[in-house]
Amino acid sequence: MTSFLITHWPIIGAFLCGLGLAVLLVAIVSWWKRGKARRSGKRGEKMVAKELARLRRKDYIVINDLMLPTSNGRTSQIDHVVVSTRGIFVIETKNHAGRISGAEHAQYWQQHLSSQSRTFYNPILQNGSHLRAVRRLMPKLDAELFSSMVVFTEAWRLDIKADEIIMERRILPDRHIQRTLIPEEEVKKRWWRPWRSPVVLDRHKIATRIEGMLEEIESRPRVMDRDSMRAIAERLIAANVTDSSVRKQHTEYARRTSKDVSADISKGKCPRCGGELTVRKSDKGEFVGCSNYPKCRFTCSIDKIHH
């Protein structure tokens, strides 16, 4: 055996080197794919932050990458918050190219790029949890002061539908005309880039491309003075979670795919804390909740655990 190894060592060594290089290449490709979405998201956040930096500092305070504690003991990471004399804007950034379609209350939206399409979680719903985390710190403030804004940095068209679309200043694409409060005969038919206008689901829910973001913010009427604006911004900054271990834990949970979460639920395991899921009853019927309640407030519909 020893003589065989000595005689064929060049061949064995070359084989082992080739195998090692192949394993290394696979690992690099896997790492690159896993981090691609994160890098793309960071690029989008930098683009929006750069655009928001153009706002006048006297009337606008921009807070980027804000992490706040939530009522269920976890954290909520918010891309951008603009505290201004014109209101408080909670902004979710999406660096998705192509055409974006979806409905206001649908759980998932679609990204259409060439002949391919993929789904992603409804950012209006996602940003709704961010908005609640911000409002939780200031429960006495009027809800009219807060607005949710989803900004797409690369998308060239937004086809977002709602049960009722309220337009105050802009005209939606033709396919949305019958859904607005503007009589069809009063709407000017525009064939040149009609998709550049933001989709205003209501006054406090906006989906827009990055080009229309500042115009939408600056067009709002003044609702507070500068002293109140600074006091709100200082409160948000003071509540910001800066602990690196907490931020790492939040990132690890956020990176989990919906398939991983569904797999845990089907096994009766809480995807948040690893606790046991149990069936509970309420006035509205049965639902699934975590056994670690109230420390963990994860819930889901009972049909998910059956699957």
Side-chain angles (χ1 to χ4, degrees):
M1 185 64 179
T2 303
S3 60
F4 175 82
L5 291 175
I6 294 174
T7 304
H8 297 85
W9 175 247
I11 298 175
I12 296 173
F15 172 77
L16 292 175
C17 288
L19 181 62
L21 289 173
V23 171
L24 180 61
L25 181 61
V26 170
I28 292 174
V29 171
S30 178
W31 169 83
W32 177 263
K33 288 183 176 180
R34 284 200 305 269
K36 186 176 181 181
R38 181 177 58 84
R39 291 190 297 272
S40 176
K42 289 297 181 182
R43 282 198 303 271
E45 291 174 21
K46 288 181 179 179
M47 291 171 63
V48 172
K50 184 177 180 180
E51 190 73 6
L52 291 174
R54 295 171 52 194
L55 293 168
R56 292 177 300 175
R57 295 185 179 182
K58 288 184 178 181
D59 294 316
Y60 302 90
I61 298 175
V62 180
I63 308 172
N64 299 310
D65 192 18
L66 178 68
M67 182 175 287
L68 299 177
T70 60
S71 58
N72 60 2
R74 301 193 65 83
T75 51
S76 179
Q77 189 166 21
I78 307 166
D79 293 340
H80 318 275
V81 176
V82 177
V83 184
S84 71
T85 56
R86 302 178 187 277
I88 303 167
F89 300 86
V90 180
I91 301 174
E92 172 67 20
T93 300
K94 292 297 178 185
N95 194 28
H96 297 339
R99 181 174 69 88
I100 307 298
S101 65
E104 178 183 359
H105 300 292
Q107 188 170 7
Y108 293 96
W109 287 5
Q110 290 76 42
Q111 175 192 21
H112 308 275
L113 189 59
S114 298
S115 59
Q116 299 179 342
S117 64
R118 73 176 189 90
T119 59
F120 60 97
Y121 189 69
N122 182 343
I124 291 288
L125 299 181
Q126 180 183 0
N127 208 36
S129 64
H130 299 164
L131 189 64
R132 288 191 293 273
V134 173
R135 288 193 59 191
R136 180 172 172 266
L137 292 176
M138 294 159 286
K140 294 183 179 180
L141 287 183
D142 192 337
E144 293 294 312
L145 296 177
F146 298 87
S147 294
S148 169
M149 180 177 290
V150 178
V151 178
F152 290 89
T153 55
E154 297 292 340
W156 58 269
R157 182 165 183 161
L158 302 179
D159 290 334
I160 312 302
K161 301 177 182 179
D163 295 334
E164 182 178 67
I165 299 178
I166 301 174
M167 284 303 300
E168 296 180 346
R169 293 176 299 278
R170 295 177 176 80
I171 306 303
L172 290 175
D174 290 349
R175 69 175 60 195
H176 293 295
I177 287 174
Q178 68 275 15
R179 307 178 69 88
T180 69
L181 300 183
I182 303 174
E184 185 172 355
E185 60 271 13
E186 296 181 11
V187 177
K188 296 180 180 180
K189 301 287 185 177
R190 299 190 301 171
W191 56 269
W192 64 95
R193 299 180 177 178
W195 52 84
R196 288 190 176 275
S197 296
V199 178
V200 182
L201 303 175
D202 61 45
R203 189 172 178 274
H204 304 290
K205 292 181 184 177
I206 300 132
T208 180
R209 298 175 72 249
I210 191 171
E211 290 84 354
M213 177 180 62
L214 295 189
E215 182 183 355
E216 180 63 38
I217 294 174
E218 293 175 327
S219 64
R220 297 292 183 89
R222 294 180 181 273
V223 291
M224 70 175 79
D225 56 40
R226 291 172 179 171
D227 290 336
S228 300
M229 174 192 73
R230 284 190 287 267
I232 293 171
E234 288 173 1
R235 189 165 186 178
L236 289 173
I237 294 171
N240 186 28
V241 177
T242 57
D243 189 311
S244 58
S245 62
V246 176
R247 283 182 168 261
K248 183 179 180 181
Q249 185 180 11
H250 176 94
T251 303
E252 289 175 352
Y253 177 75
R255 284 180 181 174
R256 299 194 66 196
T257 64
S258 58
K259 186 181 294 185
D260 294 333
V261 173
S262 299
D264 283 348
I265 294 174
S266 63
K267 296 175 183 177
K269 179 182 177 182
C270 176
R272 288 185 180 174
C273 69
E276 182 182 354
L277 295 179
T278 58
V279 178
R280 298 177 179 176
K281 293 183 179 180
S282 68
D283 296 338
K284 297 181 180 180
E286 293 184 331
F287 68 97
V288 175
C290 180
S291 59
N292 291 329
Y293 176 89
K295 185 176 180 181
C296 178
R297 297 176 181 266
F298 175 82
T299 60
C300 67
S301 59
I302 195 167
D303 61 316
K304 288 188 177 181
I305 199 169
H306 288 164
H307 289 86

